[in-house]
Amino acid sequence: MKVLLLKDSKGNDCGQDPYIRELALHGFQATLVPVLSFEFLSLSSLSEKLSHPEDYGGLILTSPRAVEAVELCLEKESKTGAWEKSLKENWNAKPVYVVGNATASLVSKIGLNTEGENSGNAEKLAEYICSREPSALPLLFPCGTLKGEILPKMLKDKGIPMESINVYQTVPHPGIRENLGSHYSKQGVPASIAFFSPSGLKFSLKCIQELSGEDMDQIKFIAIGPSTARALAAAGLPVSCTAESPTPQALATAIKKALQLQGRC
């Protein structure tokens, strides 16, 4: 069964993308097509904030890109020495909340301990944060310009202070149309397509509709999480299944479920 994953490749120590490997274990032939690119913003401002952990009650990191922004600050601002000497320890004295194991793994590589990674999505992470003992100091939230409003709203409603800073913006991948066209010409219309973000859907949908033509209604659409599922529904596309968490295992389970349902129709 052929599955199209609209994401970039993230090779691990074995050199293979974990989603490709996991889906292969379940008998799926998966192909990656990147649909997003990212541009970093306000790194000097973020660097300054990271230099003053005493001003914050903790960190919130909900995407690998936000962690990458933190890493760039440590490199570009020559803060590696200060980070290893004291800043890392001071941040580790505070909670570092993350969504998903992929983000948690990246955070651990810069020496920070994490919590909340099993929450799976921003809404569940917000519930987790709200269940913890609140700090009078704001939580620092480096995020993208297209961040969802669920987490900030839930924290605000609970009176938990938070300071967000936009550190990256999402733009269409420059090769999106060419890469999708090449995939369709070689492998045909996919049995299912997995979307990994609302912005990925936004930037790729028109091209997918043009390439799929009358076969569009034969495709099973899979969402990596609830915000992406809502975006699919808003675009008028049926959501075959939603992964319970942003992991290869959860996505494989979701795709199997969707195709099993198709077999019963």
Side-chain angles (χ1 to χ4, degrees), residues 16-132:
Q16 188 178 39
D17 184 275
Y19 283 88
I20 294 288
R21 186 180 68 254
E22 181 66 25
L23 291 178
L25 293 175
H26 293 268
F28 299 121
Q29 180 185 342
T31 303
L32 302 174
V33 172
V35 295
L36 301 178
S37 291
F38 300 92
E39 298 173 353
F40 290 99
L41 313 165
S42 309
L43 292 184
S44 295
S45 179
L46 175 60
S47 180
E48 178 65 21
K49 295 178 187 299
L50 291 171
S51 298
H52 295 282
E54 69 277 6
D55 293 340
Y56 299 97
L59 266 173
I60 302 176
L61 297 165
T62 59
S63 71
R65 214 63 56 184
V67 183
E68 189 175 344
V70 172
E71 289 181 301
L72 288 172
C73 287
L74 300 180
E75 296 170 2
K76 290 188 175 182
E77 302 295 330
S78 301
K79 279 191 164 51
T80 304
W83 179 258
E84 293 296 335
K85 184 177 180 181
S86 62
L87 290 178
K88 179 172 66 175
E89 181 180 354
N90 290 337
W91 278 112
N92 265 330
K94 305 168 183 291
V96 179
Y97 300 110
V98 303
V99 169
N101 293 322
T103 302
S105 177
L106 293 173
V107 174
S108 68
K109 289 180 180 179
I110 59 175
L112 294 179
N113 302 318
T114 64
E115 54 182 283
E117 55 264 36
N118 294 326
S119 52
N121 59 61
E123 182 174 355
K124 291 181 179 178
L125 179 64
E127 292 175 355
Y128 177 83
I129 295 173
C130 291
S131 73
R132 312 297 287 175

Side-chain angles (χ1 to χ4, degrees), residues 5 30 48 62 74 102 140 150 178-179 187 205:
L5 307 179
E48 178 65 21
T62 59
L74 300 180
L140 179 60
I150 291 179
E178 179 181 352
N179 293 338
Q187 301 196 32
L205 180 56

Side-chain angles (χ1 to χ4, degrees), residues 144-175:
T145 56
L146 298 179
K147 72 177 184 301
E149 294 303 320
I150 291 179
L151 186 147
K153 184 180 186 303
M154 290 179 66
L155 296 190
K156 182 179 179 180
D157 290 346
K158 288 289 186 178
I160 298 175
M162 185 194 73
E163 182 181 320
S164 62
I165 174 173
N166 292 330
V167 296
Y168 67 91
Q169 63 181 356
T170 307
V171 297
H173 190 282

